[in-house]
Amino acid sequence: MKAQPPATPADITPVIEDSWAALRRHTDARIALGRSGASLPTRAVLAFELAHAQARDAVLTALDVPALRRELEADGWKVAEVRSGAPDQAAYLARPDWGRRLHDDSLAALDAPGIGKADLVLVVSDGLSSTAVQQNAAPLLRALRPLLPEGLALAPVVIATHARVALADEVGERLGARIAVSLIGERPGLSSPDSLGAYLTYAPKVGRNDAERNCISNIRPQGLAYGEAALQLAALIRAMLQARLSGVKLQFDPARAIAADPH
Amino acid sequence: MVCSPEHLGLSKAMSYTFRIGIRNHVFRDLRELLAKASPLRSGDQLAGIAATSREERAAAKLALAELPLTTFLEQPLIPYETDEVTRLILDAHDAAAFAAVRGLSVGAFRDWLLSDQVDGAMLARLAPGLMPEMAAAVSKLMRNQDLILAARKCNVVTRFRNTIGLPGRLAVRLQPNHPTDDPRGIAASILDGLLYGAGDAVIGINPATDDPAKLLTLWRLLDELIARFDIPTQSCVLTHVTRQIEAIGRGAPVDLVFQSIGGSEALNRSFGIDLALLREAQDAALSLKRGILGNNVMYFETGQGSGLSAGAHHGIDQQTLEARAYAVARAYSPLLVNTVVGFIGPEYLYDGKQIIRAALEDHFCGKLLGLPMGVDVCYTNHAEADQDDMDNLLLLLGAAGVNYIMGVPGADDIMLNYQSTSFHDALYLREALGLKHAPEFESWLQRMRIVDEAGRLRDSRGGEALPALTAFAEAAS
C-alpha cells in the first residue's frame, strides 16, 4: 500500500481564528482567542503565562524595603520598619494569623525615642503584592499629605513586611493612634497585579474585625488614580475623626464628603 | 430512622487509640480522629487540628479503619439539639437503605465500595442511608485512584431543560462575568462560550452588583437569549437567595435559584441563610414551572475551608464539614452542585497537590451521597498552583465522571479575579476522553452548525445564526 505523502505546511491551517473578535471592544474577558485543534493558539497560551508570571512575581517577590524607605524619606516622611510573626513568604501565605501580629523584635522599633503618641499612623504593608506597594505607596502618600487635616499628629510611616491588614491594629494600638491606615498589596488578578488597597480603622487595637474597617481598593494608575484615592482617604479620615468610629456603622458618602472637603 | 434526643445527645464521648511500636496514639474524640486522619492540608493546620506527624496521621487512619460505621449515628459531630444540619442528617437517615453496610467498619466499607460486585444501582440505593460523615471518613482511607473509581460508579442524572449527568457526557456552566455587569460585555462572553459548545449545565452570571433593578436586567437578558435561540439550557444569576426570592415575587424570569451553603447551622447563618429559607426559595422557583424535562431547580456551591473562614467549624476538619454541606444540598433535589475547590486560597488548600486531592474527595463524597457534582477547577494567584495542575485535575475528574465544569473565557474571570477552566479546557477533556455534551444541547449545537455529527467544533461556526447571535450581543442592554 502506498503511503500518503507527508502534509506540507501549506496543507494545514493550524490556527482557526474566531470571526467575532469585534466583540472584544465590549469586554476585557479573553474572548475570540481562536484555537489550534482543541487547544489555545500559541500566542494565547503565552499571553496567559506572562500575566500569571507577573501576578506570581507580585506575590512572591520580596518588598525592596531600603528603596521604599529612601523614596519616602526623600518625600520628607519619617520611617520605621517592622515585621510580622511569619518567618518567610511561604509561612505568610499559609498562616494569616501570624501575619496579623508583630514579631517580638519589632516592638522595640515602635517604642524607640522620638516616635511617641500620634493621631494617625500609616502602615505600608507588602501584603499579597509587593509590586503594588513598590509602585503605588509613595505616590499615593505624596498626594495624601497636603489633604490631611491640620494639626493631626502623624506617626512615622511604618513599613511592615509579611503583613496582613490587621497588623496595623497592633501598630496603632502601641502608638495610641486614633486611626490606623493599612496601605497593602491586594491579591493580584491576572490583569491587575499592582492593585493597592487602603483599610482604615478608628481606635485600632488587636482583635478588630473587618466590619469595623473602611476600605478603598484598586488604587493604581489604571484603576483608582492617586489624586482621587487621596481625596477619598482624607475624606474618610475626617469622617472617622468626627464620628469617632469606622466600619459599617460609619455614615459615609464619598462623593458628598469630598465635595464638602475644605481642600 | 428517627433518633431520640437521649440517644443522640447524651452518648458518652469516646476516645480512640492505636498502638504503633512503643507509641500509643490517643485521639480524644471522633472529631479529632477524623481531623488527624485527614490528608495534609493547610486549613486544618491553621485550625490547629491537623496531625502533628506523619505517623500520627497514619495511626489515625488505622484507628479510623476499625471504627464501626454505626458510630456516626451514635455520636453526632455537632449536637442534635444545637444544630439544624445535624437534625437534618439524622432525621432524614434511611435505616433500611443503610442496612446493606450497617455491619461494616470504615475500612471494610472502603473495600465494599471498590469491590467488583458493587455497582451504580447499589450505590444509588445506599445513598439515602449514608451520613455525610461516613462518606468523609471512608474518603480519608482512599487514595486518589480509589476516589476516582468509586465516584465513577455513581451516576446522578438531573433535568430542567436538558439532561445532565449521563455516562459519557460532560456539561459546562458558561460563566460570562463582567466587573460592572455590562450587558454587552456579558453577552459577548456568552456568545463566545456558545460558539465553543459551552453552556449546557447553565448560563450563570456572578453579578458584581446587588441592585435589584440591575439584577433584573441580567435575568431578562438570559431569558431573551434562551427563548430567541431556543437553547435547551437554563439560566441563573448567582446573587443571595433572598434577592432571588424577591425577584421571583416581582415576576423575574428565574430558572435556577442559587445559594452558597455549608455544613453547620452557624456557617449557614454566616451566609445569611437557614434550611427554611432554602425551602422557601425552592418552592418559589418551582411555582414558576419553567422546567421542561424536570424539576431540579436548585444550584448550590460549596467549598472546603468556608467553616474556619467564618469561625463556624466546631473543631471539625474542613473536608468532613464540606461533606455535611452535601447533606444540606440533597434535601432540595438540586440540578447542580459544585465545590469551588481552589478559590479560597492557600491558607486552606496550599498548592496544586492539596487542591487536586480536595477536588477528588469532594466529587466522590457528593456523588456517593447522591448529588449531581460538578467542580470549579480553579486557583488564585497566591496559591502554589498553575495551569498544569488544573490540566491534571481536569483529566482526573473527567475519568471520575464529573457532571460538569466551569467555562470562563480564557480561564480568566475578570470579575472574581481567579483562574477557572476555559471553554478550550472543556474541548481538551472532550477530546482526551471522548466526552459528549448533554444530549439536547448537542442536538442544538448541531442544528446551529456549531459542532458536526461527531460533536466536534466545525471550522466555520454558527452558519446563518452567527449574525443573529452577534446582533443580539451588540444590542444587549
Side-chain angles (χ1 to χ4, degrees), chain A residues 73-125:
Chain A
E73 285 175 344
D75 286 343
W77 298 98
K78 279 192 202 164
V79 177
E81 292 174 28
V82 299
R83 62 183 174 117
S84 80
D88 54 41
Q89 189 65 7
Y92 170 73
L93 291 173
R95 294 298 300 262
D97 50 338
W98 291 347
R100 293 185 192 117
R101 295 302 302 269
L102 286 167
H103 192 282
D104 286 347
D105 295 355
S106 291
L107 302 179
L110 296 178
D111 296 338
I115 290 192
K117 295 273 178 191
D119 295 320
L120 176 71
V121 60
L122 300 158
V123 181
V124 178
S125 303

Side-chain angles (χ1 to χ4, degrees), chain A residues 13 16-20 22-41 44 48-49 51-53 55-57 59-60 89-98 100 128 164 187-192, chain B residues 42 45-46 177-178 182 184-189 191-192 195-196 343-344 346-348 350 379-387 409-412 414 416-419 422-425 427-428 431 457-461 466 470 473-474:
Chain A
T13 313
I16 296 168
E17 305 288 351
D18 293 331
S19 59
W20 53 94
L23 290 176
R24 282 201 204 114
R25 70 185 190 284
H26 299 310
T27 179
D28 290 332
R30 293 170 196 251
I31 63 168
L33 296 176
R35 63 190 181 91
S36 309
S39 309
L40 284 171
F48 186 105
E49 282 200 17
H52 186 235
R56 293 292 289 155
D57 282 348
V59 174
L60 295 174
Q89 189 65 7
Y92 170 73
L93 291 173
R95 294 298 300 262
D97 50 338
W98 291 347
R100 293 185 192 117
L128 291 171
R164 301 266 169 183
R187 193 181 92 186
L190 276 193
S191 54
S192 54
Chain B
S42 49
Q45 291 178 311
L46 181 61
N177 298 340
H178 187 278
D182 177 65
R184 278 187 299 185
I186 286 171
S189 288
L191 176 143
D192 195 57
L195 289 166
Y196 273 92
F343 185 72
I344 194 161
E347 60 268 45
Y348 300 94
Y350 187 71
Y379 64 106
T380 58
N381 287 319
H382 60 321
E384 194 61 48
D386 62 21
Q387 293 295 89
D412 175 11
I414 57 171
L416 295 172
N417 270 332
Y418 77 124
Q419 283 89 257
S422 67
F423 307 136
H424 294 75
D425 289 331
L427 297 182
Y428 144 70
E431 191 72 23
L457 285 188
R458 291 176 176 278
D459 282 2
S460 172
R461 276 167 282 159
L466 183 57
T470 311
E474 293 283 4

Side-chain angles (χ1 to χ4, degrees), chain B residues 368-405:
Chain B
L368 195 61
L369 294 167
L371 288 178
M373 285 305 290
V375 177
D376 190 344
V377 172
C378 63
Y379 64 106
T380 58
N381 287 319
H382 60 321
E384 194 61 48
D386 62 21
Q387 293 295 89
D388 289 335
D389 294 308
M390 302 301 111
D391 292 347
N392 295 348
L393 177 53
L394 269 172
L395 201 61
L396 300 178
L397 286 167
V402 70
N403 280 29
Y404 68 99
I405 57 172

Side-chain angles (χ1 to χ4, degrees), chain A residues 84-210:
Chain A
S84 80
D88 54 41
Q89 189 65 7
Y92 170 73
L93 291 173
R95 294 298 300 262
D97 50 338
W98 291 347
R100 293 185 192 117
R101 295 302 302 269
L102 286 167
H103 192 282
D104 286 347
D105 295 355
S106 291
L107 302 179
L110 296 178
D111 296 338
I115 290 192
K117 295 273 178 191
D119 295 320
L120 176 71
V121 60
L122 300 158
V123 181
V124 178
S125 303
D126 47 4
L128 291 171
S129 171
S130 63
T131 309
V133 177
Q134 210 87 54
Q135 291 178 4
N136 302 322
L140 174 66
L141 290 179
R142 211 172 291 144
L144 176 65
R145 189 161 203 169
L147 303 178
L148 289 172
E150 280 171 33
L152 203 65
L154 292 179
V157 172
V158 176
I159 300 176
T161 47
H162 294 146
R164 301 266 169 183
V165 169
L167 186 106
D169 292 341
E170 188 172 5
V171 173
E173 185 175 13
R174 266 197 111 70
L175 298 179
R178 297 170 70 187
I179 295 175
V181 178
S182 175
L183 300 175
I184 189 163
E186 294 183 315
R187 193 181 92 186
L190 276 193
S191 54
S192 54
D194 58 345
S195 184
L196 189 74
Y199 294 80
L200 298 85
T201 311
Y202 188 82
K205 60 177 186 191
V206 173
R208 287 276 185 221
N209 66 46
D210 290 343

Side-chain angles (χ1 to χ4, degrees), chain B residues 201-471:
Chain B
V202 62
I203 304 176
I205 305 168
N206 297 91
T209 179
D210 200 25
D211 174 351
K214 288 183 180 163
L215 293 173
L216 185 59
T217 302
L218 300 181
W219 269 301
R220 287 191 174 143
L221 171 72
L222 295 175
D223 185 48
E224 282 172 31
L225 174 83
I226 289 171
R228 170 111 44 107
F229 296 94
D230 198 20
I231 311 174
T233 190
Q234 36 280 330
S235 72
C236 189
V237 178
L238 289 78
T239 182
H240 194 268
V241 68
T242 51
R243 290 270 169 278
Q244 296 167 86
I245 294 171
E246 288 162 16
I248 290 171
R250 282 196 298 271
V254 174
D255 288 346
L256 304 184
V257 171
F258 163 84
Q259 182 56 43
S260 291
I261 55 170
S264 74
E265 182 176 334
L267 175 50
N268 284 329
R269 201 176 303 125
S270 83
F271 290 139
I273 60 160
D274 59 22
L275 299 180
L277 185 63
L278 293 178
R279 186 67 66 201
E280 187 187 339
Q282 185 189 18
D283 290 344
L286 284 170
S287 75
L288 299 182
K289 299 184 172 21
R290 292 172 62 84
I292 294 170
L293 300 182
N295 278 319
N296 301 116
V297 295
M298 300 300 283
Y299 174 10
F300 295 118
E301 282 187 351
T302 64
Q304 292 189 26
S306 58
L308 178 60
S309 174
H313 64 108
H314 301 273
I316 299 171
D317 68 89
Q318 65 185 35
Q319 190 257 331
T320 301
L321 198 61
E322 167 76 4
R324 283 172 55 101
Y326 304 152
V328 173
R330 71 175 170 179
Y332 304 92
S333 308
L335 183 79
L336 307 164
V337 179
N338 67 262
T339 171
V340 190
V341 70
F343 185 72
I344 194 161
E347 60 268 45
Y348 300 94
L349 295 168
Y350 187 71
D351 55 14
K353 185 180 174 76
Q354 293 187 8
I355 291 171
I356 288 170
R357 173 72 199 183
L360 293 175
E361 290 167 346
D362 293 351
H363 178 257
F364 161 78
C365 287
K367 283 280 175 75
L368 195 61
L369 294 167
L371 288 178
M373 285 305 290
V375 177
D376 190 344
V377 172
C378 63
Y379 64 106
T380 58
N381 287 319
H382 60 321
E384 194 61 48
D386 62 21
Q387 293 295 89
D388 289 335
D389 294 308
M390 302 301 111
D391 292 347
N392 295 348
L393 177 53
L394 269 172
L395 201 61
L396 300 178
L397 286 167
V402 70
N403 280 29
Y404 68 99
I405 57 172
M406 307 300 126
V408 178
D412 175 11
D413 189 310
I414 57 171
M415 201 286 278
L416 295 172
N417 270 332
Y418 77 124
Q419 283 89 257
S420 182
T421 45
S422 67
F423 307 136
H424 294 75
D425 289 331
L427 297 182
Y428 144 70
L429 208 48
R430 295 189 190 291
E431 191 72 23
L433 299 178
L435 299 173
K436 293 180 169 297
H437 303 84
E440 302 83 0
F441 192 76
E442 182 181 35
S443 301
W444 179 81
L445 290 171
Q446 286 164 344
R447 282 203 303 282
M448 297 289 282
R449 303 193 61 73
I450 293 169
V451 302
D452 63 19
E453 301 72 34
R456 295 176 88 181
L457 285 188
R458 291 176 176 278
D459 282 2
S460 172
R461 276 167 282 159
E464 290 167 15
L466 183 57
L469 274 169
T470 311

